[in-house]
Amino acid sequence: MKNHTIQQLIYELVSKLFVFPIYKFVFKGHLIGRENIPQTDSFIMVSNHGSLLDPPLLGHALGRNISFMAKAELFKIPFLGFIITACGAYPVKRGIADKNTIKTACKKLSDNNSIGIFIDGTRQKNGRVNKPKQGAALLAFKNQKLLLPVAIVNSHRLIRFKFCIPLFSKIVIKVGKPVQPPQSSSRDDLHSVTMLLKDKINNLIG
C-alpha cells in the first residue's frame, strides 16, 4: 500500500508539472468521452499508436494512472524514460508474447491498476489501427476486465515544419464505450473482440 501511494504521488507530480503543459499548451489537448471511463474497477485501455509521447499524454488526459507496456529501448531515452517510469510503464521485449510482461500486466490488474496497450504493438505511420494483436483481448479474458477503446488523433503528426518553423498539431483524445472481455480464449472469440476494438478505435479517429 505504501509503495502504491508513493507511485501515485510521483505520477500526479509528473503529470501536473511535466505532462500537463505539453498536453494543454503545446498540443492544445482535448478529451471527448470522459463519461465512458470506468471510475472504480481497473480496466485495459486499448489505443492506436503514433508517437513516443502517447503513453504520458493518454495517461494524463484520462486522469487515471495507467501502466503502459513500453519497448525496453524507450527507458534509455532522457526525460521520456523518466516520465514513463514515473507513470508506471514497464518494459516489454516483443509485445504481449513475453511471459514476464503477461505476469506483470496480470499482477497490476489484480492490484486494481489499469494498464494500457497499443493494439498494433508499434507505432503506425498513418496513426490508425492496421494489424491489431490479440494480446489485449487475451488479457481481458484472463483477468475478466473491461477493454476501453481510445483513439488519440494526430499523434502520428505531432510536429511538422514549415519554412523551418515547427507547427504543433492539436491532440484530440476520444474515449469509446467499454467492451466486454471475450467469452473464452478461443481463437475465434479473441479475433472477434480484437476486430471490434480495431473498428471502434478507427471509427473514433474518423
Side-chain angles (χ1 to χ4, degrees), residues 34-157:
R34 184 182 298 276
E35 68 278 5
N36 294 324
I37 304 172
Q39 295 301 315
T40 53
D41 194 15
S42 59
F43 56 87
I44 300 172
M45 191 223 72
V46 184
S47 174
N48 59 311
H49 189 24
S51 166
L52 295 178
L53 290 177
D54 288 347
L57 292 177
L58 286 166
H60 173 80
L62 268 62
R64 296 287 297 270
N65 189 347
I66 299 176
S67 298
F68 284 87
M69 297 178 182
K71 291 191 298 184
E73 294 82 2
L74 298 184
F75 291 84
K76 300 177 182 179
I77 300 176
F79 187 65
L80 178 64
F82 166 73
I83 288 181
I84 62 176
T85 299
C87 292
Y90 50 103
V92 56
K93 296 178 181 178
R94 282 288 179 180
I96 196 69
D98 180 30
K99 291 183 178 180
N100 289 330
T101 302
I102 295 176
K103 289 180 179 179
T104 301
C106 290
K107 178 66 167 59
K108 286 181 176 291
L109 288 168
S110 67
D111 290 341
N112 203 36
N113 292 318
S114 298
I115 65 171
I117 295 177
F118 296 116
I119 196 167
D120 274 312
T122 187
R123 284 173 288 162
Q124 302 295 303
K125 291 183 178 180
N126 65 355
R128 301 177 68 82
V129 175
N130 298 302
K131 297 180 179 179
K133 308 295 189 296
Q134 297 181 0
L138 179 59
L139 273 178
F141 171 74
K142 284 179 174 290
N143 297 275
Q144 286 302 293
K145 297 291 184 179
L146 290 174
L147 292 149
L148 186 68
V150 176
I152 177 166
V153 183
N154 288 330
S155 75
H156 64 300
R157 51 185 179 190

